[in-house]
């Protein structure tokens, strides 16, 4: 079911682009880089790279794992979730500061809000 909503979300972005909007109105690449990079690198700083890949592999495959591995994977995925949320807030704050810094230029407010 999650896949269906992901496809609908991407479809909405594509529909907006087809209606004449620029991609920059929907996706701000510096913010994406901040959120993705911080989430990945800070997760790797807190947990080993191998264990992180195993946790995501187990989550995607849906196969049964031992109780001990399951607890480890839950900790890793929880850390990733928290870091993604914190990184998103950081990206939002950077965008807000950028927007407020460009209040004299109305054409720069929209992209900064994105």
């Amino acid at each position: 079911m999650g896949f269906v909503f992901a496809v609908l979300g991407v479809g909405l972005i594509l529909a907006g682009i087809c209606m004449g909007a620029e991609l920059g109105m929907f996706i701000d690449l510096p913010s994406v880089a901040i959120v993705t990079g911080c989430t990945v690198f800070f997760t790797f700083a807190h947990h080993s790279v191998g264990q992180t890949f195993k946790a995501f592999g187990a989550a995607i495959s849906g196969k049964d794992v031992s109780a001990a591995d399951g607890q480890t994977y839950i900790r890793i995925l929880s850390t990733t979730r928290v870091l993604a949320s914190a990184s998103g807030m950081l990206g939002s704050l950077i965008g807000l500061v950028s927007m407020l810094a460009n209040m004299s230029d109305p054409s720069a407010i929209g992209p900064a809000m994105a």
Side-chain angles (χ1 to χ4, degrees):
M1 192 62 156
F3 178 75
V4 171
F5 287 113
V7 169
L8 289 173
V10 170
L12 181 64
I13 292 171
L14 293 176
I17 292 169
C18 290
M19 288 184 217
E22 294 180 24
L23 182 61
M25 291 182 67
F26 294 96
I27 299 172
D28 180 39
L29 291 180
S31 294
V32 170
I34 289 169
V35 172
T36 305
C38 287
T39 301
V40 170
F41 295 137
F42 289 142
T43 299
F44 289 161
H46 192 68
H47 301 286
S48 73
V49 175
Q51 283 293 98
T52 303
F53 279 116
K54 285 181 185 178
F56 277 95
I60 291 170
S61 72
K63 294 180 182 175
D64 291 337
V65 296
S66 69
D69 285 344
Q71 290 298 320
T72 301
Y73 297 163
I74 288 172
R75 270 196 323 276
I76 292 169
L77 296 174
S78 293
T79 299
T80 304
R81 177 181 49 87
V82 169
L83 289 170
S85 298
S87 298
M89 286 303 297
L90 178 65
S92 295
L93 288 174
I94 290 171
L96 181 63
V97 169
S98 175
M99 181 185 71
L100 293 174
N102 295 318
M103 290 298 285
S104 62
D105 182 14
S107 65
I109 294 173
M113 286 173 60

